[in-house]
Amino acid sequence: MEGQSMSLLGKMMAVIGISVVAGLIVHVRDPLDSILGGGYPELWRKAGLVGAPARAVACIFAGVSLLAMGWLYRLLFAPLELLRTPDEVGYIAEDGRSRAQAANEVRRRRKTGELPPVYPNGWYRVLDSHMLERGDVKNVTVLGEQVAVFRGTEGKAYVVDAYCPHLGANLAVGGRVVGQSIECPFHGWQFRGEDGKCVRIPYAEKVPEFAKVRCWRSMETNGQVLVWFHCDGEEPGWTVPEQGEITRGEWVYRGRTEHFINAHIEEIPENAADIAHLAHLHTPGIVSGVDLRYTNSKTWEFVRHDWKVQWEAESEPTKHCSQMLVKHALTVFGRHWPLLDMDVVARQVGPGVVFLLFDHSFLGRGVIMHCVTPVEPLLQCVSHTIFYQSNIPPLVPKFILRAECIQFERDVMIWNNKKYISKPLLVKEDSAIQKHRRWFSQFYSDNSPRLRYQHNTLDF
């Protein structure tokens, strides 16, 4: 509702602005009337160009004004959305190469190391709820599979395998929603979202009992559609908890970022237990950017972030959860600014979902939903979706999300170029890393898929 009201406000502002500008253009008085005493050249009068200079200036002014109003609206009210491509962040393009070329070269040459299984058991985000209106169908790649995500006419979201079992057409490419079912674009077969069973074949007298498409167990909470994966097909032993403030509309959507990481999924949450990296990688101020070659430049030394972090696993009945407690302080020109101190609780639920909870006496309360979803064995889609107090100006959560994005992209540069080391050389101050690996291992089973190389192909 909040997003719809903001969109309506923007449209109203645009209509009012255009109406005012149009009125000015129609009624504008040309200063040449006064300078020339109404004596335009006869040729101008015959060509209908009387008042043209003033109207031209008014049109230019109107265009600039509308652009400025649009920019101001996006800055103050519209959600922040930064969607990075797989080769946009974390690679160094040198010697005339494009970033895409640099990224492909790193992927080809990088050693992967001895990897854990590539798809842990758990819940994973597929997409955000606002991206799927009633009757919409989306094609998504998750866990190495193509799935069709659609919302039935009653409002429930469903996830099924994308390929029709009849002749293999992609249900999400040209398929349409019929009630609570999805219709294949090739022959019109209809599959029920609830269980994947085929309920109609337009040219057949009878639908075979065995005609069905695989249906993924899914849930929708906190403004996100999630799917459950277990290599042995086991039912979920836990779910992603509901954030009550989002459900009640007290916290509203203020934006999201999306990145693609070329690394094993475990590398990403392991950062929570890697306390030492914060002081080295994330101490330089966000004004120093994301390129690690320049973040420690003396130009930006006047802004520093200070971090105090503690990571711990939870016990039964929530042993699938862990917490990172973060205390952040900002120093500018050597002076501490207490107003910008912030405590953050990062609670990880399973392998793919993290709640970053903010609580500040002045800046308000909110959450960033940090979600890691495997696209392929060594390609992760990481999204940060922020929900914040509706009575706090949108500029505040948008700034928080942008700052988080800058810090995160520094990690991306590490992940995209590093090798996974199964037996790392650690000192006693790194003990939380081993604790995290033991905690994370609960999401693997004996049959969890692994990555293997065979004759220059991937078999997993």
Side-chain angles (χ1 to χ4, degrees):
M1 290 299 294
E2 179 75 12
Q4 292 176 351
S5 61
M6 286 295 102
S7 176
L8 182 60
L9 175 62
K11 292 177 181 177
M12 289 175 61
M13 290 174 60
V15 170
I16 293 171
I18 293 172
S19 301
V20 171
V21 169
L24 288 173
I25 293 174
V26 170
H27 298 291
V28 70
R29 181 175 177 82
D30 196 328
L32 289 180
D33 282 340
S34 302
I35 298 172
L36 300 177
Y40 273 92
E42 187 64 25
L43 182 60
W44 281 41
R45 295 186 181 279
K46 289 181 178 180
L49 295 177
V50 174
R55 285 187 170 83
V57 171
C59 285
I60 294 172
F61 175 76
V64 172
S65 298
L66 289 174
L67 287 174
M69 288 173 61
W71 176 83
L72 195 62
Y73 168 75
R74 288 193 299 272
L75 176 67
L76 296 178
F77 301 110
L80 173 68
E81 296 196 338
L82 297 172
L83 311 179
R84 306 300 197 193
T85 60
D87 55 24
E88 191 172 352
V89 178
Y91 298 104
I92 298 174
E94 295 179 321
D95 303 325
R97 294 176 301 171
S98 67
R99 276 186 299 208
Q101 291 172 325
N104 287 331
E105 187 172 322
V106 168
R107 292 170 193 151
R108 286 197 306 269
R109 295 182 178 180
R110 185 181 61 177
K111 293 183 178 180
T112 56
E114 186 180 339
L115 297 172
V118 292
Y119 298 146
N121 303 319
W123 289 97
Y124 295 100
R125 168 192 172 273
V126 179
L127 46 73
D128 290 347
S129 297
H130 73 269
M131 300 164 61
L132 193 70
E133 300 289 341
R134 294 191 186 208
D136 280 356
V137 184
K138 301 289 184 182
N139 188 26
V140 181
T141 304
V142 55
L143 298 151
E145 301 281 355
Q146 294 282 313
V147 297
V149 188
F150 68 97
R151 192 179 296 282
T153 54
E154 294 180 1
K156 183 174 173 58
Y158 302 99
V159 183
V160 299
D161 275 357
Y163 298 115
C164 178
H166 177 214
L167 285 173
N170 191 320
L171 300 174
V173 181
R176 69 187 184 100
V177 174
V178 180
Q180 311 314 308
S181 301
I182 185 169
E183 183 182 86
C184 176
F186 201 8
H187 297 89
W189 289 33
Q190 293 179 8
F191 298 92
R192 193 163 53 202
E194 182 181 1
D195 55 11
K197 180 174 174 51
C198 183
V199 294
R200 182 173 184 266
I201 301 175
Y203 54 86
E205 293 182 2
K206 183 180 179 182
V207 177
E209 284 295 323
F210 55 82
K212 63 185 304 183
V213 66
R214 180 170 65 149
C215 181
W216 291 62
R217 178 174 288 277
S218 63
M219 65 180 296
E220 189 166 10
T221 185
N222 305 323
Q224 297 180 327
V225 179
L226 304 105
V227 294
W228 169 258
F229 170 82
H230 195 287
C231 63
D232 298 320
E234 293 184 9
E235 293 296 308
W238 48 271
T239 59
V240 176
E242 179 185 88
Q243 190 72 40
E245 293 88 344
I246 298 176
T247 306
R248 294 190 297 269
E250 298 169 12
W251 294 356
V252 296
Y253 173 75
R254 293 303 189 198
R256 72 183 176 102
T257 64
E258 186 175 272
H259 297 79
F260 290 89
I261 316 297
N262 285 283
H264 188 277
I265 182 174
E266 191 173 335
E267 300 264 29
I268 298 169
E270 188 171 283
N271 259 26
D274 185 4
I275 298 169
H277 96 281
L278 288 166
H280 190 76
L281 194 65
H282 298 294
T283 290
I286 59 174
V287 291
S288 62
V290 303
D291 192 326
L292 302 185
R293 296 172 295 176
Y294 312 115
T295 51
N296 285 300
S297 169
K298 292 186 178 298
T299 305
W300 308 110
E301 278 188 341
F302 64 92
V303 181
R304 312 291 285 178
H305 299 279
D306 294 317
W307 310 89
K308 291 183 179 179
V309 180
Q310 179 184 352
W311 180 88
E312 58 185 21
E314 296 184 17
S315 56
E316 291 283 9
T318 57
K319 69 173 186 175
H320 60 278
C321 299
S322 66
Q323 289 193 31
M324 178 176 70
L325 309 177
V326 182
K327 290 185 177 295
H328 168 265
L330 184 68
T331 303
V332 182
F333 291 112
R335 182 177 178 181
H336 176 216
W337 291 70
L339 185 64
L340 296 177
D341 286 357
M342 184 171 286
D343 292 345
V344 180
V345 177
R347 186 172 191 245
Q348 177 153 1
V349 182
V353 179
V354 180
F355 293 75
L356 293 168
L357 291 158
F358 299 86
D359 191 350
H360 194 277
S361 58
F362 176 69
L363 298 177
R365 301 173 62 235
V367 63
I368 292 179
M369 300 296 302
H370 165 100
C371 299
V372 185
T373 302
V375 179
E376 298 171 358
L378 294 180
L379 181 63
Q380 319 301 324
C381 176
V382 181
S383 66
H384 292 86
T385 305
I386 189 166
F387 294 88
Y388 220 78
Q389 278 182 248
S390 58
N391 59 346
I392 296 292
L395 205 57
V396 172
K398 287 168 66 174
F399 173 78
I400 292 173
L401 183 61
R402 190 70 180 89
E404 165 69 17
C405 180
I406 291 172
Q407 293 285 14
F408 182 75
E409 289 184 355
R410 295 179 184 177
D411 290 307
V412 173
M413 195 167 186
I414 297 293
W415 290 321
N416 279 357
N417 295 275
K418 79 184 294 293
K419 169 188 174 181
Y420 180 85
I421 297 182
S422 58
K423 297 178 180 179
L425 176 61
L426 302 175
V427 295
K428 68 176 183 178
E429 289 80 5
D430 296 323
S431 60
I433 295 176
Q434 285 289 28
K435 292 178 182 177
H436 186 277
R437 291 194 176 189
R438 285 195 295 271
W439 171 80
F440 199 89
S441 66
Q442 68 181 296
F443 305 117
Y444 300 129
S445 303
D446 291 340
N447 295 322
S448 291
R450 290 182 175 272
L451 182 68
R452 295 185 180 88
Y453 290 93
Q454 293 183 350
H455 305 294
N456 297 321
T457 64
L458 296 181
D459 181 21
F460 58 93

